[in-house]
Amino acid sequence: MSVEARAVSGEQAAPAALPRAGRGATALRGTGLLVLLGALVLVSLLSVWVGTRGIPFTATWSVLWNPDGSETSVIIHDYRIPRTVLGLLVGMALGLSGALMQALTRNPLADPGMLGISLGASAGVVVAIAFLGVGSVLGYVWFAFLGTAVASVAVYLLGSSGRKLATPERLVVAGAAVTAVLYAFNWAVLLLNPRAFDQFRFWTVGSLSGRYFDVVYVILPFVAVGLLIALVLAPALNALAMGDQVGRALGLNVGRTRALGAVAVMLLCGAATAAAGPIGFVGLAVPHVARFVVGPDQRWVLTYSMLLAPVMLIGADVLGRVLGAPGELQVGIITAFLGAPLFIALCRRRKLVML
């Protein structure tokens, strides 16, 4: 059939409609981003307003923009705003690191703790408490970072030992081995030192309370660098999703992509864990929600995960204050209760495909 005949018969209409469909999907995803931004602003305002101390919304709104040194102003600016900003940074870091881990390993069940990062941070805190007498959250941050770095280097060295490259499978196995060793080390120290255990249990539950702007300033550069690396890697992750051989055929440097991705995961997850303690299910469940909404394109998955995770984390923190009143439930407990049913629902709704 000639070109003219195909045009007359309408066979050319399908290709012409594809760009419009693509533009429509992009517009829909962009609208979703605006909705997520609105949700993030809403939960952030709720986080500033809701707390163990009841403050009317009008008073909260007034001192939010015009601090006057009153007790209400101190509560808002010195306690709740730093807590909300930290929740934003930690949520973004956990969501991005989880999406990165699943993309790099092509494993839908991967989470940031799979490479021993969370246990490395925990080991650093255990050493700081048990052997060095560190007792402040700001002090924990630096030792948690050090533990994260040591664990990450150990995993990479084990995963690349011999003449083979550090493939995702080897890194996951090495991460499991390092995690087991660090878990045993942590509990051996803590069980022999009741004082250290008493301090450590408040950190390990995962919490945003008791953190101020000094902690925010410490983790901000690490989160910013990790976020930048992750977003720059997004197109390369789409090529990597088709397999190493196809990625190389497309001109992708697979080894460099995985190395940069591992650095980003270390920075993001290390910063989040150091500041707030280990918080589960956010890095595991949020990327699945993002893929369910926007599909497999890593550019959109990373962007949505970066916004969905802080909405979930800050919302869980607010919920913990409401449910635990006049005290509060720590955010790590709430995310476990919210994340587990959410992940089970996603598993039941559709099969988790390999990435």
Side-chain angles (χ1 to χ4, degrees), residues 4-348:
E4 291 83 359
R6 288 198 300 269
V8 171
S9 64
E11 293 184 16
Q12 293 282 48
L18 288 177
R20 289 195 294 271
R23 287 194 295 270
T26 301
L28 190 61
R29 291 166 177 168
T31 303
L33 283 181
L34 293 177
V35 172
L36 276 179
L37 284 173
L40 184 57
V41 171
L42 177 61
V43 296
S44 298
L45 287 175
L46 284 175
S47 179
V48 174
W49 174 34
V50 177
T52 55
R53 168 77 179 272
I55 300 175
F57 180 77
T58 53
T60 301
W61 185 260
S62 176
V63 299
L64 179 63
W65 304 108
N66 300 292
D68 54 12
S70 63
E71 183 180 0
T72 298
S73 180
V74 170
I75 291 173
I76 297 298
H77 288 272
D78 293 354
Y79 293 93
R80 294 185 184 175
I81 290 180
R83 182 173 182 164
T84 304
V85 174
L86 183 65
L88 174 65
L89 292 177
V90 170
M92 290 173 61
L94 291 175
L96 273 176
S97 59
L100 269 177
M101 275 296 302
Q102 292 173 13
L104 289 171
T105 61
R106 297 199 294 274
N107 182 351
L109 297 178
D111 74 334
M114 185 173 286
L115 293 183
I117 293 175
S118 296
L119 263 295
S122 298
V125 174
V126 167
V127 170
I129 294 173
F131 301 114
L132 301 175
V134 178
S136 67
V137 174
L138 187 60
Y140 297 161
V141 169
W142 294 109
F143 285 94
F145 266 125
L146 181 60
T148 295
V150 171
S152 300
V153 171
V155 168
Y156 183 80
L157 291 178
L158 287 174
S160 59
S161 60
R163 297 184 177 181
K164 295 183 178 180
L165 296 175
T167 62
E169 295 80 9
R170 289 169 63 89
L171 288 176
V172 168
V173 173
V178 170
T179 295
V181 171
L182 291 176
Y183 183 85
F185 168 80
N186 287 350
W187 284 105
V189 172
L190 293 173
L191 290 176
L192 294 174
N193 191 331
R195 181 192 60 82
F197 175 76
D198 193 53
Q199 285 186 253
F200 179 76
R201 65 190 178 94
F202 290 106
W203 178 84
T204 195
V205 72
S207 176
L208 299 177
S209 64
R211 276 71 168 172
Y212 309 104
F213 273 123
D214 52 1
V215 176
V216 172
Y217 296 146
V218 169
I219 71 166
L220 180 59
F222 298 96
V223 173
V225 173
L227 185 150
L228 180 62
I229 295 174
L231 295 182
V232 168
L233 284 179
L237 294 176
N238 281 334
L240 190 64
M242 294 183 284
D244 291 3
Q245 292 183 348
V246 175
R248 290 190 182 96
L250 294 174
L252 178 68
N253 189 324
V254 174
R256 183 176 63 186
T257 299
R258 285 211 173 96
L260 287 173
V263 169
V265 171
M266 183 191 75
L267 291 172
L268 292 167
C269 184
T273 307
I279 296 177
F281 279 106
V282 176
L284 177 63
V286 165
H288 286 283
V289 178
R291 277 191 295 273
F292 181 76
V293 173
V294 299
D297 190 337
Q298 293 298 330
R299 295 171 298 179
W300 288 102
V301 171
L302 291 177
T303 305
Y304 266 68
S305 297
M306 183 176 65
L307 295 178
L308 272 169
V311 170
M312 177 181 178
L313 189 67
I314 298 174
D317 190 41
V318 173
L319 185 61
R321 298 180 223 174
V322 173
L323 295 179
E328 64 178 75
L329 294 174
Q330 303 304 324
V331 69
I333 299 173
I334 301 297
T335 55
F337 276 104
L338 293 178
L342 174 63
F343 192 67
I344 292 171
L346 287 171
C347 291
R348 289 177 60 85

